[in-house]
Amino acid sequence: MSVLVLPGQASAAPEPPPAAGGDADKSLNDVRREIDALYRKAAVATDAYNLAEDQTQNQSGEIVKLAKSIVSGENRINTLKDRLGAQARAQYRTGGVPQSAQLMLSGDPDFFLQGAGRMQQGQAAIKGMLGELTRTQEDLRTYSQDAGREWQKLEANRKRKEKAQKEVKKQIAAAETLEARLEKKERTRLLELERDEQYRSQTTWLNSGALKNGGRGGAAATAQGKQAVAYATDQIGDPYVWGAEGPDAFDCSGLTQQAWASASRGIPRTSQEQWRLLPRVSVADMRPGDLIIYFSDASHVGMYVGDGAIVHAPRPGRTVTIAGAGSMPILGVVRPG
């Protein structure tokens, strides 16, 4: 297989892109950079939204578990109180005379010995119930405090999610407004300029000798890696939708997370968390299935599929596609498998 140089065009000896068109292209390039910057801001906000959403789901689960623990603790306390109440009522029926005094007054040695044993057992049982009651009450207080803290976190994440959601929509709307002002031929040329830039970046990256084995990269994919790659490439043509994780639309990290989930490997939801938490490998040693993290803020991720190419969900208005692995600034590579 040949090394990928331009999205949609795999060629060992690619033709260079056509020459730029003077001042008009200069102006369009400024527009392209502005649009790219807006979508980058939207990607960062999307990561913030996804992280808040993920944490909200986790905290909701914790609250449910704590609520069940509280109910269980309350039921146990009621049971213990009932049993202690039964002991108190039994003593009341004997006229309130302590059991030890009743034994002393009985005058029957055998009755005394048998009763003393039962009394010790009863006292130990009461002591045990009182101790369990105290521990259960303390646990209940702890569960209630933990639940309160989780509710505070949940509310904070809800606010962060709403803020990020507004920011995503704001940046995407601004980018779409810019594009909408262009004539059809200008939008077509804008796409050509974008591809030209990707071509130059990919060519420069390949010529740097970043990949081993004549540009093919490191070792072969593992069985899990092959499964993740198969899932990701099966989604080619699906639309990018921010916050989406399938089955018919994805954002960049939603695609990589679901691809690895299909290979029975759970990974973090966002590109920034994937970069922060997954093991890192060198670009030269990456293999199919590894994730390439892009830009200095780790705001984008694609899955390496081999031969200098990635599959990724680029941005709003685009679909899941194959692209050159070096067509964007690489921050690093992480390995889920």
Side-chain angles (χ1 to χ4, degrees):
M1 188 183 293
S2 56
V3 174
L4 186 72
V5 177
L6 191 65
Q9 296 180 358
S11 173
E15 293 296 323
D23 291 342
D25 279 357
K26 212 175 190 183
S27 176
L28 274 175
N29 262 321
D30 290 340
V31 173
R32 179 181 63 81
R33 280 189 279 269
E34 189 174 353
I35 289 171
D36 284 349
L38 289 167
Y39 279 125
R40 283 278 315 286
K41 289 178 182 177
V44 173
T46 298
D47 249 16
Y49 174 89
N50 288 337
L51 182 60
E53 171 72 10
D54 202 38
Q55 290 175 337
T56 296
Q57 290 176 359
N58 290 339
Q59 278 145 10
S60 295
E62 284 300 313
I63 288 170
V64 169
K65 285 195 289 187
L66 287 167
K68 288 179 179 177
S69 297
I70 288 170
V71 170
S72 176
E74 288 174 340
N75 289 339
R76 185 59 184 157
I77 285 172
N78 291 335
T79 299
L80 289 168
K81 285 182 176 178
D82 287 344
R83 289 171 63 185
L84 287 167
Q87 291 283 348
R89 287 191 295 274
Q91 184 171 331
Y92 176 77
R93 284 195 295 271
T94 64
V97 180
Q99 193 174 11
S100 58
Q102 294 177 44
L103 292 171
M104 291 295 293
L105 294 171
S106 71
D108 185 334
D110 290 335
F111 179 74
F112 177 83
L113 291 172
Q114 292 172 3
R118 287 194 299 272
M119 183 181 70
Q120 288 176 342
Q121 291 174 354
Q123 288 173 339
I126 291 172
K127 185 177 180 181
M129 281 190 287
L130 288 170
E132 187 177 353
L133 179 62
T134 300
R135 287 192 300 273
T136 305
Q137 288 172 329
E138 288 173 353
D139 288 343
L140 201 57
R141 279 193 291 271
T142 301
Y143 293 147
S144 298
Q145 290 167 357
D146 289 346
R149 282 191 290 269
E150 291 298 327
W151 274 113
Q152 289 175 349
K153 290 179 188 176
L154 190 67
E155 180 62 15
N157 275 319
R158 186 188 63 77
K159 290 179 179 177
R160 275 198 293 272
K161 193 169 74 167
E162 286 180 356
K163 182 180 177 182
Q165 185 177 34
K166 288 177 183 176
E167 184 64 17
V168 172
K169 291 180 176 179
K170 173 186 169 185
Q171 299 301 337
I172 291 176
E176 289 174 343
T177 299
L178 268 178
E179 288 185 283
R181 290 175 185 164
L182 300 173
E183 295 180 5
K184 184 178 179 180
K185 64 179 181 180
E186 289 176 317
R187 287 197 293 272
T188 300
R189 183 58 185 153
L190 196 70
L191 186 58
E192 290 173 355
L193 291 171
E194 181 181 310
R195 287 174 175 166
D196 290 351
E197 178 62 30
Q198 290 174 351
Y199 170 92
R200 283 189 289 271
S201 298
Q202 175 75 350
T203 302
T204 300
W205 180 69
L206 289 173
N207 290 340
S208 72
L211 294 178
K212 290 180 178 178
N213 303 327
R216 282 181 167 77
T222 62
Q224 273 189 313
K226 288 178 182 177
Q227 195 167 342
V229 168
Y231 179 95
T233 52
D234 280 348
Q235 313 316 312
I236 289 174
D238 286 352
Y240 177 106
V241 174
W242 69 269
E245 47 192 305
D248 301 316
F250 299 87
D251 62 20
C252 67
S253 56
L255 176 65
T256 54
Q257 185 195 44
Q258 291 306 307
W260 272 101
S262 76
S264 302
R265 172 74 168 96
I267 65 173
R269 174 63 180 88
T270 71
S271 58
Q272 292 173 342
E273 289 294 282
Q274 288 169 5
W275 173 244
R276 187 173 72 88
L277 296 174
L278 294 176
R280 298 179 186 180
V281 297
S282 69
V283 171
D285 291 327
M286 67 183 174
R287 65 193 184 200
D290 288 347
L291 307 182
I292 304 181
I293 309 297
Y294 292 98
F295 304 109
S296 59
D297 55 6
S299 57
H300 190 69
V301 59
M303 177 176 289
Y304 187 61
V305 296
D307 295 294
I310 60 166
V311 60
H312 72 143
R315 66 167 175 81
R318 302 292 167 80
T319 60
V320 176
T321 188
I322 295 288
S327 59
M328 296 169 282
I330 294 174
L331 177 61
V333 180
V334 293
R335 176 165 292 166

